[in-house]
Amino acid sequence: MSQHPVTSREYALELDANDPLAHYREQFVITDPNVCYLDGNSLGRLPKKTVEVVNNYLLNEWGKEVVDGWGHWIDEPLAMGDLLGRSVLGAAAGQVVCSDTTSVNFYQLVGAALRARPGRKTIITDASNFPTDRFILQGYAEQHGYNLVIIDNEDPAISAHERITPELLEKYMSDDVALVTLEVVQYRAGARNDVKAITDLVRKYGALTIWDASHSAGSIDMHFDADGVDLAVGCTYKYCNGGPGAPGYLYVSKRIQKELRVPIQGWFANKNQFEMGPTFEKVEDIRGFQIATPPVLAYRCVKTALEMIEEAQISRMEEKCSTGTQMLIELYDAWLAPLGFTLNTPRDAKERGGHVSLVHPDAKQIAVAMRRMINVIPDYRVPNSIRLAISPLTTSFVEAWDGMERLRDLVSSGRYKEVAMDTSRVS
Ligand SMILES: Cc1ncc(COP(=O)(O)O)c(C=O)c1O
């Protein structure tokens, strides 16, 4: 604990001086040290080593080996999955495939889960779930005649900070439920759901759970195997620093791999893949959850970044997120609450991930002004949230502290109102 008050810059400098992960920051490309990059929950920074590793792959593998490279590239989705499992997800080998997008993986597991619960017609998710998950469920429900139940966790009278508690979920459970799917950490509010308690509850009703770990992978220490998780998906481009559009992943517990069958039966899931036979026969292990030719170049980015996480240890990364988000919340109390912001993230560190969500009626304009006027990169989410993240290997405490001080001055002066609104398609 620091002897300085949180509102003194020395407070953050002292946290940095005692941060066992501080040295990782210099292993990333940071072109402008004056920028406070607080958007690692959207896209992580580039590790310096990735540049070298990708170059080496291009010249010495693709360039030299050409098609012979497939002899050792072909199982990289599984090798990368095992690395993700042990460094980030708390999963033993043979349960994770790293490939495709989170959306495709989600579609695959939704199809597999519903097929494994014939006769049941209800799917449950929440209104604050990430759009791609909700949209895929809507499409699936419409096409295949399922009843999609959406828990209204955007209403604070129903749920605090969008969090889904087992008590709340149980009100919606019945023996018609085939599938419940939620985020481990809510993408907007940053609230963390209790993976084990919810998975146990859903199992009690005979249904399956799919967790979307996109915002929790690399920010909190997860224990998929110990928590009895059935199924999960997520991405590697946020806190895992795998790069823009880096492959996602799916987790299928060994307990249910034989029982499940995904809707897209690609040739990589076929038992005798290179016999090119007339009919599909699913491989019974995790290979049976692949689709097709994997993005080998992208794996080199993912591998470099995940090896850093494995060395840094995910438990220490969670600790840094917890301390950093605590500092952000205390600075919010001191500086931003009096300026009309409200906090939409739990105050208990065990109930949040690596980002905090600050709500303000002018959030959109403030977020644009932060980029243009004060060199702070936040993340804006409709209708009125600014998300600020601690990406544990790259964000320094003083970087986050400076960002909050600049934000305070931007809003208290009213200067943000001078900025013209952004016309970019990306917000
Ligand atoms: C929680 C969550 N799920 C799914 C996605 C979609 O990922 P993709 O575009 O890789 O399919 C995202 C993207 O940010 C996300 O945050």
Side-chain angles (χ1 to χ4, degrees):
M1 268 288 113
S2 170
Q3 332 127 18
H4 305 281
V6 70
T7 48
S8 140
R9 197 167 188 264
E10 275 65 39
Y11 179 92
L13 288 169
E14 197 177 318
L15 288 181
D16 280 330
N18 294 319
D19 175 12
L21 305 180
H23 62 285
Y24 283 100
R25 184 172 161 86
E26 63 207 37
Q27 296 180 31
F28 286 81
V29 174
I30 296 178
T31 52
D32 182 351
N34 192 37
V35 167
C36 302
Y37 187 71
L38 304 179
D39 202 5
N41 58 317
S42 190
L43 181 64
R45 287 189 182 272
L46 166 64
K48 289 177 182 165
K49 192 175 169 196
T50 299
V51 178
E52 190 190 308
V53 165
V54 166
N55 245 320
N56 185 54
Y57 171 77
L58 291 173
L59 293 171
N60 293 319
E61 292 192 64
W62 180 15
K64 254 192 207 153
E65 300 177 46
V66 205
V67 78
D68 287 344
W70 279 116
H72 62 100
W73 299 331
I74 195 153
D75 283 330
E76 290 203 16
L78 309 176
M80 229 35 59
D82 287 349
L83 175 56
L84 250 166
R86 65 177 184 269
S87 60
V88 170
L89 306 175
Q95 300 178 103
V96 182
V97 175
C98 179
S99 200
D100 303 300
T101 59
T102 309
S103 303
V104 168
N105 290 319
F106 186 71
Y107 177 84
Q108 289 281 76
L109 293 192
V110 167
L114 293 174
R115 185 174 172 161
R117 292 294 180 272
R120 293 176 175 236
K121 283 290 172 198
T122 299
I123 305 170
I124 298 178
T125 192
D126 63 300
S128 307
N129 200 346
F130 194 80
T132 208
D133 300 39
R134 288 184 285 108
F135 298 161
I136 288 167
L137 292 172
Q138 280 166 18
Y140 219 98
E142 274 165 32
Q143 285 160 32
H144 300 278
Y146 284 89
N147 171 30
L148 178 60
V149 174
I150 299 183
I151 302 173
D152 182 12
N153 57 339
E154 284 174 341
D155 179 350
I158 292 178
S159 154
H161 314 299
E162 304 174 0
R163 203 162 172 265
I164 304 291
T165 60
E167 295 72 33
L168 174 59
L169 177 62
E170 188 146 27
K171 294 183 188 149
Y172 299 81
M173 294 301 298
S174 73
D175 61 9
D176 190 53
V177 177
L179 171 66
V180 174
T181 175
L182 302 169
E183 290 172 278
V184 178
V185 169
Q186 300 287 149
Y187 85 93
R188 213 169 28 198
R192 184 195 315 193
N193 296 313
D194 186 335
V195 169
K196 179 166 172 30
I198 287 180
T199 305
D200 285 350
L201 171 71
V202 173
R203 182 165 301 129
K204 194 175 89 183
Y205 283 85
L208 290 165
T209 310
I210 303 177
W211 289 102
D212 185 334
S214 295
H215 283 270
S216 45
S219 65
I220 64 166
D221 191 4
M222 292 184 288
H223 307 276
F224 280 3
D225 288 351
D227 288 347
V229 169
D230 301 314
L231 301 160
V233 296
C235 70
T236 58
Y237 45 73
K238 300 179 188 290
Y239 297 99
C240 292
N241 308 312
Y249 52 88
L250 57 77
Y251 164 93
V252 182
S253 164
K254 270 213 159 86
R255 282 180 288 108
I256 53 174
Q257 287 177 6
K258 275 192 191 158
E259 180 196 344
L260 293 199
R261 211 162 153 165
V262 289
I264 305 175
Q265 298 187 159
W267 70 311
F268 268 63
N270 194 39
K271 203 169 206 166
N272 299 309
Q273 184 182 357
F274 290 97
E275 286 182 11
M276 308 305 210
T279 49
F280 178 80
E281 197 186 339
K282 181 188 160 238
V283 192
E284 287 200 334
D285 61 21
I286 193 66
R287 283 166 208 268
F289 295 86
Q290 299 182 91
I291 304 177
T293 309
V296 184
L297 178 59
Y299 290 142
R300 301 314 160 95
C301 304
V302 171
K303 182 165 187 274
T304 308
L306 290 179
E307 282 173 349
M308 287 167 93
I309 293 181
E310 189 173 29
E311 182 190 275
Q313 296 171 22
I314 189 67
S315 55
R316 295 200 299 179
M317 290 169 68
E318 171 169 338
E319 219 174 294
K320 180 163 176 183
C321 282
S322 164
T323 309
T325 49
Q326 182 62 32
M327 181 186 78
L328 292 175
I329 290 172
E330 288 176 22
L331 289 174
Y332 151 81
D333 285 334
W335 291 341
L336 301 183
L339 297 176
F341 282 92
T342 50
L343 176 71
N344 188 25
T345 302
R347 285 178 180 271
D348 179 348
K350 289 191 282 322
E351 293 186 1
R352 63 176 189 258
H355 72 272
V356 299
S357 181
L358 301 172
V359 175
H360 190 282
D362 296 338
K364 188 165 189 183
Q365 195 169 18
I366 293 170
V368 174
M370 286 171 79
R371 279 189 150 77
R372 300 246 190 94
M373 294 175 149
I374 58 170
N375 269 336
V376 180
I377 313 295
D379 187 281
Y380 165 74
R381 280 290 171 255
V382 287
N384 53 14
S385 308
I386 290 173
R387 299 185 301 181
L388 303 175
I390 305 294
S391 188
L393 299 188
T394 62
T395 314
S396 68
F397 289 104
V398 81
E399 178 182 23
W401 192 97
D402 285 348
M404 289 294 274
E405 187 192 43
R406 291 182 209 175
L407 173 58
R408 175 198 68 189
D409 294 346
L410 179 75
V411 176
S412 65
S413 65
R415 214 158 65 82
Y416 72 89
K417 293 186 177 145
E418 294 162 21
V419 85
M421 293 305 283
D422 221 328
T423 52
S424 165
R425 211 171 74 73
V426 182
S427 68

